[in-house]
Amino acid sequence: MKNFFSNLFNRNNDPQSIISFDVINPIYSYLYHESNSLEFKVKGIHDPVLVNLYSIPYSLDHEEGRAEIKKAGFNNAYEVLNELYTKLNIGTLSEEMIQEGLEYDFIHVQFYSQPGQEMKKHFKRVINNFIIFFCCTNSLEINDIRILYSGSHFLDYTKGLLDCEFLDFNAPKNETQEIGVKDFKLVLQGICEYLNLEIPKTVELPSSESVLFDENVTIGDFKEFVNLVSRGSIEEEELNKYAENLFENFNDETKEDYESTEEHFAFFEEIDAWNSDWKFDPEDAEYFISEMLGEDFKFDYPEETYSHDLFPYIQSELAKSNLELLTYETFGDNYLFFIANKDEVERILELSELTKIEVNQL
């Protein structure tokens, strides 16, 4: 970091929040002095987390970057930075400052989250981009952070930056952003754990356990998975058989992906599951969920409501019994529904990631 400017906000450094300067500054120090890029996995986060340190002007000082800057209507990377600083209410660079040619760093953290209820109709997961800038607040020393956020893919990196919005992480704008902020806190804990950085004792941690994803898979993981997705309804002998078959399938490197998927599909069809076309009526849902539960199931819904638009009403009724409807990812135009205990869903999703048996929330 070579230079920073004062701003008009109060200092953003809640000693209890993991989204704070005291947590993020050591991460920056590692990225600056050791390695400017990280990639690792966090429990409950689909796909790896990517963390990169970028610098203005140099990270945009290449043929593609210069073309993006020109396309966006700017002459150089510093003008782009001023546009971002304006969104963050950080003092902008004067022409004299630009001529000094100093570097201005920022951290880009990228990962996927579950979408909010409304977005679930269109997406199974959404991307989060947290762009972290350092600045000064009533001080000559760097002592604060400001964050821009985007839920879009950065196909044009300059445009991606410019399309970001200021993030007030204490007041997310919608449910999807709220989930993203919650996961961002988990990711920050994961970064610190991954880099062996000490988190201040005043900080409230998102998790009291390790958040790093352990990719060492055992037959016990499959056994736990089978037990959870069947809600403990399978006898020990059958449970072991299913776990052994799925574990062997996982380790069989001769199988193509579609063959492994067929094995997963066969397993779900052997337990209480509902294989449905993507279009279904509320009467279908009531009948098959009743079959899966072994008891009569009814739910309230607006007239002329069908298929995925029924999910919120189904889930609301199931939640009264601490249950949730999930689906195996069939990679086709159909669902393979099953019912899980609501307080076990988070663990099912973790094991899904570990065993490569892809399960989705609805």
Side-chain angles (χ1 to χ4, degrees):
M1 283 181 286
K2 301 299 187 293
N3 204 354
F4 297 88
F5 303 94
S6 63
N7 58 72
L8 302 179
F9 292 116
N10 291 323
R11 189 176 177 213
N12 180 20
N13 197 45
D14 179 354
Q16 292 184 310
S17 175
I18 198 165
I19 307 179
S20 63
F21 176 83
D22 288 343
V23 172
I24 294 174
N25 189 45
I27 295 173
Y28 167 77
S29 182
Y30 179 92
L31 293 169
Y32 186 82
H33 295 288
E34 303 294 335
S35 173
N36 62 5
S37 180
L38 304 175
E39 181 175 336
F40 61 98
K41 299 192 75 173
V42 171
K43 293 177 183 176
I45 305 294
H46 193 278
D47 291 336
V49 173
L50 304 179
V51 183
N52 289 284
L53 179 67
Y54 291 109
S55 175
I56 297 294
Y58 298 109
S59 293
L60 299 179
D61 189 20
H62 47 79
E63 185 175 349
E64 182 178 351
R66 289 189 290 272
E68 290 176 355
I69 290 170
K70 185 176 180 181
K71 182 180 177 183
F74 296 95
N75 295 310
N76 55 59
Y78 290 117
E79 292 183 2
V80 173
L81 183 64
N82 272 346
E83 189 74 11
L84 302 179
Y85 276 177
T86 299
K87 290 186 179 187
L88 294 165
N89 205 9
I90 296 176
T92 56
L93 308 178
S94 66
E95 184 59 36
E96 183 178 315
M97 293 173 176
I98 291 174
Q99 293 305 317
E100 291 181 20
L102 298 177
E103 301 173 38
Y104 301 85
D105 300 335
F106 63 90
I107 300 171
H108 185 168
V109 181
Q110 185 181 86
F111 59 91
Y112 287 89
S113 290
Q114 293 286 332
Q117 195 61 50
E118 187 63 30
M119 300 235 354
K120 278 185 180 179
K121 298 177 182 179
H122 311 288
F123 305 101
K124 292 176 180 175
R125 59 187 60 89
V126 293
I127 196 166
N128 297 288
N129 296 281
F130 290 83
I131 315 297
I132 307 169
F133 292 84
F134 291 83
C135 55
C136 307
T137 305
N138 302 322
S139 168
L140 296 177
E141 300 294 327
I142 303 154
N143 67 349
D144 206 352
I145 57 168
R146 291 288 176 265
I147 300 177
L148 293 175
Y149 174 84
S150 171
S152 301
H153 290 272
F154 280 33
L155 302 179
D156 177 321
Y157 197 81
T158 301
K159 184 177 186 302
L161 287 174
L162 292 167
D163 287 345
C164 287
E165 298 178 334
F166 169 72
L167 175 70
D168 181 352
F169 50 83
N170 291 312
K173 294 173 61 177
N174 51 53
E175 186 186 4
T176 295
Q177 195 174 98
E178 183 179 354
I179 294 170
V181 170
K182 180 182 176 183
D183 286 347
F184 182 48
K185 294 178 180 179
L186 199 67
V187 164
L188 287 175
Q189 182 175 340
I191 295 173
C192 292
E193 185 179 344
Y194 184 73
L195 298 179
N196 198 29
L197 299 175
E198 184 176 355
I199 297 175
K201 290 181 171 53
T202 56
V203 170
E204 295 179 354
L205 297 179
S207 174
S208 60
E209 302 176 352
S210 169
V211 300
L212 294 183
F213 188 78
D214 183 0
E215 299 190 65
N216 294 317
V217 189
T218 68
I219 192 169
D221 295 317
F222 283 89
K223 186 174 180 178
E224 183 184 0
F225 179 82
V226 172
N227 189 54
L228 292 178
V229 301
S230 65
R231 288 184 291 124
S233 64
I234 299 179
E235 296 293 334
E236 186 73 17
E237 186 176 343
E238 288 291 290
L239 177 64
N240 290 330
K241 183 191 77 173
Y242 287 135
E244 288 171 7
N245 288 342
L246 291 170
F247 186 58
E248 288 176 9
N249 179 67
F250 176 86
N251 288 304
D252 190 346
E253 297 180 357
T254 66
K255 285 188 176 180
E256 300 290 341
D257 287 344
Y258 76 90
E259 292 177 304
S260 292
T261 300
E262 288 175 354
E263 292 285 346
H264 301 159
F265 198 92
F267 159 69
F268 278 104
E269 289 207 310
E270 289 187 41
I271 64 172
D272 287 329
W274 166 28
N275 184 13
S276 170
D277 187 82
W278 69 276
K279 291 189 287 187
F280 55 89
D281 297 326
E283 293 79 12
D284 296 327
E286 290 181 333
Y287 174 80
F288 285 106
I289 292 175
S290 295
E291 288 286 299
M292 288 190 285
L293 290 175
E295 59 185 58
D296 191 46
F297 176 79
K298 299 289 183 183
F299 67 101
D300 296 324
Y301 51 89
E303 291 186 14
E304 304 299 319
T305 307
Y306 306 98
S307 304
H308 65 261
D309 290 330
L310 292 167
F311 291 152
Y313 308 102
I314 294 172
Q315 301 290 35
S316 179
E317 186 63 31
L318 285 172
K320 295 175 183 178
S321 301
N322 192 38
L323 298 172
E324 183 172 335
L325 190 68
L326 302 174
T327 184
Y328 168 66
E329 175 56 80
T330 65
F331 301 97
D333 61 352
N334 64 313
Y335 293 103
L336 190 50
F337 296 113
F338 66 95
I339 294 172
N341 293 321
K342 197 169 184 66
D343 55 6
E344 295 172 343
V345 169
E346 184 176 346
R347 180 56 178 162
I348 287 172
L349 295 175
E350 288 179 3
L351 290 167
S352 165
E353 184 82 6
L354 188 63
T355 60
K356 308 303 181 187
I357 304 175
E358 189 166 344
V359 166
N360 294 318
Q361 285 184 289
L362 299 168

